[in-house]
Amino acid sequence: MVNVDSLVGRNSLHRKVQRSLRIQKLRALGLIAPLFIFILISFVIPIGDMLFRSIENQLVSEVLPRTTEYLKSEQINEGWEPPDELFWHLYIDLAIATEVKLHTRVGSRLNYEKTGISSLFRKTGRSIKKFGADDYSKALSEQMPELASIDYWELLSQGTSEKYGYTRDTYNTWKKNLIANDHWSEKTKPSDFLFVVLANDIKSQEIDSSLDASREEKLLPVISELPEIGFKERFLDTDEDWAEPDVWDTIQLYSPSFTNGYYLNSVDFKKGSDGPKIRPENERLYVLIFSRTLFMSVTITLVCLLLGYPVAYFLANLPLKYANLFLILVLLPFWTSLLVRTSAWKVLLQNEGVINDILVATGLISNLERLELINNQTGTIIAMSHILLPFMILPLFSVMKTIHPSYVRAAKSLGATPWTAFRRVYFPQSIPGIGAGSILVFILSIGYYITPELVGGTTGTFISNRIAYHISSSLNWGLGAALGSILLAVVLALYWVYDRMVGIDNVKLG
Amino acid sequence: MNDKDNGFVVFSGVQKSYDGKILVVKDLNLSIAKGEFLTMLGPSGSGKTTCLLMLAGFETATQGEILLDGKPINNIPPHKREIGMVFQNYALFPHMTVAENLTFPLQVRSMSKSDQEKKVNHVLDMVQMSEFGNRRPGQLSGGQQQRIALARALVFEPELVLMDEPLGALDKQLREHMQFEIKHLHERLGVTVVYVTHDQTEALTMSDRVAVFNDGIIQQLDAPDKLYEAPDNSFVAQFIGENNTLEGTIESFEGDYVNVRLDNDQVISALAVNVREVGEKTLISIRPERVETEAERCPENAQKIIGEVLEFIYMGDVFRTRIRVGNNDEFIVKSRNSPSQQRLQPGQMVTLGCLNKDCRALDHQITSKEVLS
Ligand SMILES: Nc1ncnc2c1ncn2[C@@H]1O[C@H](COP(=O)(O)OP(=O)(O)OP(=O)(O)O)[C@@H](O)[C@H]1O
Ligand SMILES: [Mg+2]
């Protein structure tokens, strides 16, 4: 029989234990919290931000809301012609954007996808003031002076009448933009184009008996006397490119808030209205650089392994006091700046450099056939192998140190020649070190920047150099982020393959 | 040495120094017969492993010659010496299974696959580990690893097997069990075994002969019973088994015996083993079980030693009595727990009896360094 009392007792005991465990867990969590926050701030958030930027594309639809909305339902192809109404929307969008210079940003954004758009937007931004809106504002304000004051427009924007929906909407966007960009003040005057919008709203609808009727009766005669502005002609006068379906196609393709365009660009594809297309031969770039990055990283890893293994073996079999001395020598390069070491390679490797001079002086090569050792892949591979070598030697050394000499002795006593003993007994036990060193060198080199930048010329640069270019020169952060994300994915994929083939528990970092 | 010709393994005048200053092995002369089980016994750092490594070919002798089956092997590389070796840490290859470990020596000898399998199975049977062929060494217990190491050293049928403290890492019970297994294997296979240990019981129970090492020289090379009952010098007497020492000065020689005056002015007669002249200091060695606490239980010709009981320890089958004799507070007497054996009280004065042939007058702990200089 189960005693009810004891059952209750046990239950409360269980609860007590649970509570004390929970407190312990919380305390443990509290202890790691600083580290956790640090990792969050320094890794998770930047990587998340990078992934976000690589697909984010809100600028176009934010700055050109009416245009992109209208384009949504358009089928743009070779023979397509932009309709008048589209230019009306574009006029309002750009008029608002130019006041806070946003049009140049959209221009540069779209310029990444189609060259020429940037200058098109700048040009248009400069001339949009001269489209004739000033006539409207002058005439309307003369007829109705209160229109020149921002207060009247405030009142208008608070109204509810359906009729002035477009005006209200435009005014609010305009105001919001000015406020967001610190251009709004007490003294702000209503912009000229607002009068055009207002006139359009009044003109296009019946006069009814509403509260606004008096205003409409007052203004309508003036408005009907004013010349109609032909927006399409104005835009085309400014720049004929506005008639190009390609321009509109680009705007349409990049209207959504999120885009895969950056990724397509990263793999040499082009986003098109009928699906992604591979770029023509002469525009392809990134796949080549990605494969070059991979190839050079693998080469550097192999070179480091070939050079580092004997050194590590030598160090591991040295008495401790000498081993420490030599280890310091291995680490010595870390005491000088990376920049200095790389520059030293420039001195050594250049055409008139030390190595070529020696080769010529010893007669191994003639003066005319000096070796091209720098500003190409050879230069990058030589300099980076040198710089990353310690990262191969250290894990190898620490693993080899743990291989007791009695294993090789045992193999020899069992009849194995020194070579067999090495191959079948020593080498397999050093594999964790090879694994650790290789993965370290490979991952470091695949993302390396400074050295290839300095000694790589044009053929010896890595994808990271392109990323840096997009971040700091072309300012195409989205593309930089997409390239970075792909690099991250490649590294993770390789890590996965590596885990499958070698097993990650076969890696010993010390 | 005259057995240099018939020894299977012969060390002749071997010296070894690692750093060129200190001789770790000093003038080693040793001849091991075929099929013999010889143990090198000695405290830590006495040069046992070094001797073994020189024999196996992993260290070279600084001077002297090592002969195997009559041929000098100084210039033969280790893998051609055909010597099986069991290492202190077993040195089983961690990345190979047990079976692969055992196949390794057969593979490097290019033996046919079927022969390899036959031999491996046979040797696994021999150490009773047949089911463990597919395990990795890391998945075996210490004793099991030990057996595999043993099997691996035997699988290619060497005539000489070296073992460096193979049981050092095992607990006492397993160690005793394995001692017997190794001993039986040795008897069955007839291989020559050179065994290194610093555990004297192990040396005594297993070996045909024991070489006691200290400070790089062999202190005594003898059969276990000789070593225990007739130690040549104080070191051996102290090192092997339990030993009582009485310090004294030599009064006179009497044939094979000497008369020694102890600190408390008692004079006792002892077998002259390692003494030279009258007036010399000496240490008399007496085994605790060769002393009687009751004079009437002693043989007629026993001599008497007077002492004071300090402690009586009851150990079941035996009694241990600690007695002060002269200024030695640690004189131990071991007596069998027989019905007539009396239990002594601390503070009591006793007259101890022992035969004078069980008292051995040895050197006065002059260390071997002094002997050489
Ligand atoms: N490779 C070496 N280099 C220098 N000195 C060494 C080397 N190997 C051993 N020695 C020294 O030689 C002496 C004898 O060492 P050895 O290993 O032969 O002792 P051992 O009798 O086997 O001791 P243990 O019972 O502790 O194993 C020690 O003083 C040791 O410090
Ligand atoms: Mg040793």
Side-chain angles (χ1 to χ4, degrees):
Chain A
M1 279 294 282
V2 178
N3 187 328
V4 176
D5 278 351
S6 82
L7 207 76
V8 170
R10 204 183 304 150
N11 250 337
S12 75
L13 180 67
H14 179 74
R15 225 170 295 136
K16 269 185 209 156
V17 169
Q18 289 278 305
R19 192 180 323 131
S20 81
L21 279 180
R22 202 160 40 236
I23 291 174
Q24 267 179 21
K25 259 184 219 159
L26 281 178
R27 202 171 294 152
L29 225 59
L31 281 176
I32 60 156
L35 179 68
F36 180 75
I37 292 170
F38 175 75
I39 289 177
L40 192 75
I41 291 176
S42 59
F43 286 99
V44 180
I45 292 178
I47 290 178
D49 183 57
M50 176 181 76
L51 292 174
F52 178 70
R53 273 176 195 278
S54 67
I55 50 169
E56 184 261 357
N57 186 47
Q58 283 156 348
L59 189 66
V60 179
S61 56
E62 251 173 40
V63 179
L64 307 174
R66 292 164 189 80
T67 317
T68 50
E69 184 63 33
Y70 184 85
L71 280 174
K72 254 185 201 165
S73 50
E74 288 294 306
Q75 285 282 346
I76 303 174
N77 45 35
E78 277 300 302
W80 178 84
E81 274 192 23
D84 292 353
E85 199 188 344
L86 181 55
F87 285 103
W88 162 245
H89 292 301
L90 181 67
Y91 172 70
I92 296 170
D93 282 343
L94 278 180
I96 294 173
T98 23
E99 295 215 354
V100 289
K101 303 262 181 308
L102 270 176
H103 67 294
T104 56
R105 283 185 53 201
V106 187
S108 338
R109 167 68 190 94
L110 291 170
N111 200 57
Y112 299 144
E113 315 303 338
K114 180 168 168 53
T115 39
I117 294 194
S118 180
S119 67
L120 176 65
F121 270 66
R122 273 168 208 280
K123 212 165 158 191
T124 314
R126 277 195 300 273
S127 55
I128 203 162
K129 287 260 160 60
K130 297 172 209 137
F131 279 10
D134 45 342
D135 296 340
Y136 274 70
S137 76
K138 215 183 283 161
L140 292 187
S141 317
E142 254 169 38
Q143 183 71 15
M144 218 179 127
E146 55 264 55
L147 273 178
S149 146
I150 202 77
D151 298 337
Y152 190 86
W153 290 87
E154 273 299 301
L155 269 171
L156 196 68
S157 78
Q158 275 151 28
T160 51
S161 121
E162 293 251 329
K163 214 165 154 183
Y164 293 101
Y166 209 85
T167 308
R168 204 159 52 229
D169 192 34
T170 310
Y171 175 78
N172 283 334
T173 331
W174 173 73
K175 183 185 172 191
K176 200 176 78 206
N177 252 306
L178 288 187
I179 291 174
N181 291 281
D182 272 343
H183 281 272
W184 182 263
S185 76
E186 294 291 295
K187 286 173 241 135
T188 306
K189 293 271 171 243
S191 273
D192 293 346
F193 76 91
L194 288 172
F195 292 86
V196 182
V197 178
L198 178 66
N200 192 54
D201 266 354
I202 293 174
K203 189 168 58 181
S204 59
Q205 278 156 80
E206 297 280 294
I207 300 180
D208 53 24
S209 54
S210 71
L211 286 171
D212 305 312
S214 66
R215 175 173 61 220
E216 285 158 11
E217 274 161 12
K218 230 175 183 175
L219 292 177
L220 201 54
V222 185
I223 293 170
S224 45
E225 265 170 43
L226 282 166
E228 185 112 0
I229 303 174
F231 286 106
K232 184 166 179 176
E233 290 84 70
R234 298 282 181 158
F235 272 104
L236 292 184
D237 281 352
T238 311
D239 198 314
E240 294 198 332
D241 280 356
W242 283 118
E244 288 281 330
D246 258 8
V247 171
W248 296 103
D249 189 31
T250 309
I251 297 177
Q252 190 192 39
L253 279 173
Y254 287 91
S255 328
S257 299
F258 293 98
T259 180
N260 58 3
Y262 290 126
Y263 281 103
L264 290 174
N265 287 340
S266 303
V267 291
D268 291 340
F269 274 77
K270 190 175 171 53
K271 196 172 163 68
S273 41
D274 42 356
K277 272 199 288 290
I278 190 153
R279 283 176 190 273
E281 201 87 46
N282 59 353
E283 280 179 26
R284 291 182 206 163
L285 180 62
Y286 296 111
V287 171
L288 173 75
I289 297 184
F290 266 118
S291 42
R292 185 160 80 203
T293 304
L294 281 180
F295 164 76
M296 294 216 291
S297 299
V298 169
T299 312
I300 290 163
T301 308
L302 288 180
V303 171
C304 282
L305 183 60
L306 284 179
L307 294 176
Y309 197 95
V311 176
Y313 181 85
F314 169 73
L315 288 179
N317 288 298
L318 224 54
L320 203 61
K321 58 176 176 181
Y322 300 112
N324 283 337
L325 188 73
F326 279 94
L327 262 186
I328 289 176
L329 289 184
V330 168
L331 293 175
L332 207 57
F334 286 130
W335 297 6
T336 48
S337 131
L338 174 63
L339 221 53
V340 172
R341 273 177 283 157
T342 310
S343 310
W345 277 112
K346 279 190 116 129
V347 175
L348 288 172
L349 295 177
Q350 58 186 264
N351 212 21
E352 306 288 323
V354 178
I355 291 177
N356 268 317
D357 281 351
I358 290 177
L359 289 178
V360 171
T362 53
L364 282 171
I365 56 174
S366 84
N367 201 9
L368 296 175
E369 45 187 17
R370 284 176 176 259
L371 302 174
E372 292 250 354
L373 294 175
I374 203 162
N375 295 333
N376 55 17
Q377 292 195 9
T378 321
T380 305
I381 290 171
I382 292 177
M384 278 185 58
S385 301
H386 164 245
I387 284 159
L388 295 178
L389 195 55
F391 295 100
M392 180 64 87
I393 293 179
L394 290 180
L396 272 175
F397 171 76
S398 78
V399 167
M400 286 176 175
K401 202 76 207 142
T402 63
I403 304 176
H404 200 271
S406 67
Y407 289 117
V408 172
R409 282 182 181 165
K412 285 184 189 164
S413 83
L414 295 171
T417 59
W419 167 242
T420 312
F422 172 80
R423 191 174 53 85
R424 296 213 34 209
V425 175
Y426 193 88
F427 182 77
Q429 292 191 67
S430 68
I431 283 177
I434 297 180
S438 302
I439 211 163
L440 213 60
V441 169
F442 182 80
I443 286 178
L444 279 175
S445 68
I446 206 172
Y448 227 68
Y449 166 69
I450 295 181
T451 307
E453 186 72 20
L454 292 179
V455 300
T458 47
T459 56
T461 49
F462 280 24
I463 193 68
S464 42
N465 300 103
R466 287 311 293 181
I467 295 177
Y469 166 76
H470 285 306
I471 298 295
S472 57
S473 299
S474 81
L475 298 185
N476 189 353
W477 286 24
L479 182 56
L483 291 171
S485 306
I486 291 179
L487 186 62
L488 180 66
V490 167
V491 170
L492 291 179
L494 286 172
Y495 181 82
W496 180 79
V497 170
Y498 186 88
D499 185 28
R500 270 303 171 87
M501 274 166 41
V502 186
I504 212 65
D505 37 335
N506 243 335
V507 166
K508 210 154 111 192
L509 284 170
Chain B
M1 257 191 194
N2 52 358
D3 54 2
K4 183 172 172 171
D5 316 310
N6 51 27
F8 179 57
V9 176
V10 176
F11 287 86
S12 147
V14 171
Q15 294 188 350
K16 172 71 188 176
S17 169
Y18 283 107
D19 51 9
K21 285 181 223 142
I22 302 162
L23 283 179
V24 172
V25 175
K26 305 164 183 154
D27 193 33
L28 177 70
N29 291 293
L30 177 62
S31 172
I32 303 167
K34 202 162 189 149
E36 190 176 2
F37 194 119
L38 182 122
T39 299
M40 294 179 174
L41 173 69
S44 193
S46 54
K48 310 177 297 282
T49 300
T50 307
C51 289
L52 223 54
L53 291 180
M54 286 192 289
L55 183 50
F58 299 119
E59 292 290 349
T60 47
T62 316
Q63 217 162 62
E65 218 174 33
I66 303 173
L67 306 179
L68 180 63
D69 213 5
K71 291 180 288 285
I73 54 170
N74 286 16
N75 292 321
I76 301 179
H79 63 275
K80 294 200 180 132
R81 293 194 182 187
E82 296 286 314
I83 297 176
M85 189 154 179
V86 180
F87 290 81
Q88 194 160 0
N89 61 353
Y90 311 143
L92 294 175
F93 307 139
H95 56 290
M96 299 183 188
T97 64
V98 163
E100 284 165 347
N101 261 283
L102 296 177
T103 322
F104 183 84
L106 308 178
Q107 271 172 349
V108 299
R109 286 176 175 72
S110 322
M111 196 174 275
S112 78
K113 272 257 152 49
S114 57
D115 281 359
Q116 284 181 16
E117 211 168 302
K118 221 181 292 166
K119 289 220 157 140
V120 168
N121 286 338
H122 174 235
V123 79
L124 273 176
D125 267 350
M126 194 167 77
V127 294
Q128 296 151 28
M129 293 281 293
S130 308
E131 306 101 84
F132 295 92
N134 290 323
R135 294 237 196 137
R136 301 247 163 176
Q139 300 165 318
L140 299 178
S141 74
Q144 291 167 336
Q145 291 183 27
Q146 209 287 324
R147 285 168 203 226
I148 299 303
L150 193 61
R152 192 179 63 176
L154 294 171
V155 70
F156 61 100
E157 293 168 6
E159 289 191 81
L160 174 61
V161 178
L162 314 181
M163 302 187 194
D164 189 359
E165 303 195 31
L167 308 179
L170 304 184
D171 64 47
K172 189 165 176 289
Q173 241 180 342
L174 192 56
R175 192 156 65 208
E176 280 166 8
H177 178 73
M178 287 305 295
Q179 284 169 9
F180 282 109
E181 287 199 14
I182 292 176
K183 186 70 196 145
H184 290 156
L185 273 177
H186 165 251
E187 279 161 8
R188 220 164 76 210
L189 302 174
V191 292
T192 312
V193 176
V194 179
Y195 191 97
V196 163
T197 179
H198 56 229
D199 179 336
Q200 40 135 331
T201 341
E202 201 166 294
L204 295 183
T205 49
M206 297 174 80
S207 330
D208 296 330
R209 280 195 304 164
V210 179
V212 181
F213 271 66
N214 190 34
D215 241 340
I217 55 170
I218 296 183
Q219 302 284 338
Q220 188 170 352
L221 172 61
D222 246 325
D225 55 339
K226 278 280 187 47
L227 220 50
Y228 184 77
E229 282 163 34
D232 276 350
N233 56 39
S234 294
F235 176 82
V236 178
Q238 298 274 25
F239 192 73
I240 309 275
E242 212 171 353
N243 184 44
N244 289 314
T245 50
L246 292 175
E247 204 174 354
T249 318
I250 298 168
E251 292 261 283
S252 59
F253 282 83
E254 248 182 68
D256 286 345
Y257 291 86
V258 281
N259 292 318
V260 178
R261 180 176 295 274
L262 305 184
D263 311 329
N264 62 355
D265 273 351
Q266 268 195 75
V267 176
I268 60 173
S269 161
L271 200 62
V273 181
N274 199 355
V275 287
R276 278 163 283 187
E277 57 199 2
V278 173
E280 193 188 3
K281 285 264 184 188
T282 181
L283 282 182
I284 298 171
S285 148
I286 312 167
R287 295 290 181 199
E289 67 278 7
R290 294 295 169 96
V291 184
E292 291 290 351
T293 51
E294 291 154 57
E296 55 274 20
R297 292 163 73 101
C298 298
E300 285 296 289
N301 55 352
Q303 53 182 332
K304 296 184 173 49
I305 306 170
I306 295 163
E308 180 192 350
V309 177
L310 294 178
E311 198 178 1
F312 175 84
I313 304 161
Y314 177 81
M315 296 179 73
D317 55 343
V318 289
F319 302 151
R320 277 169 76 87
T321 318
R322 191 157 67 85
I323 295 165
R324 176 185 297 142
V325 178
N327 45 19
N328 181 1
D329 283 352
E330 298 287 336
F331 197 98
I332 304 290
V333 175
K334 243 191 217 170
S335 24
R336 209 159 53 81
N337 184 359
S338 64
S340 56
Q341 179 68 43
Q342 100 186 75
R343 302 180 184 191
L344 299 166
Q345 296 301 317
Q348 196 179 343
M349 295 300 288
V350 281
T351 306
L352 308 170
C354 68
L355 293 174
N356 57 359
K357 74 175 172 62
D358 288 333
C359 304
R360 297 173 67 83
L362 305 172
D363 55 303
H364 187 260
Q365 283 206 320
I366 12 179
T367 58
S368 42
K369 274 192 197 113
E370 290 165 56
V371 171
L372 282 178
S373 59

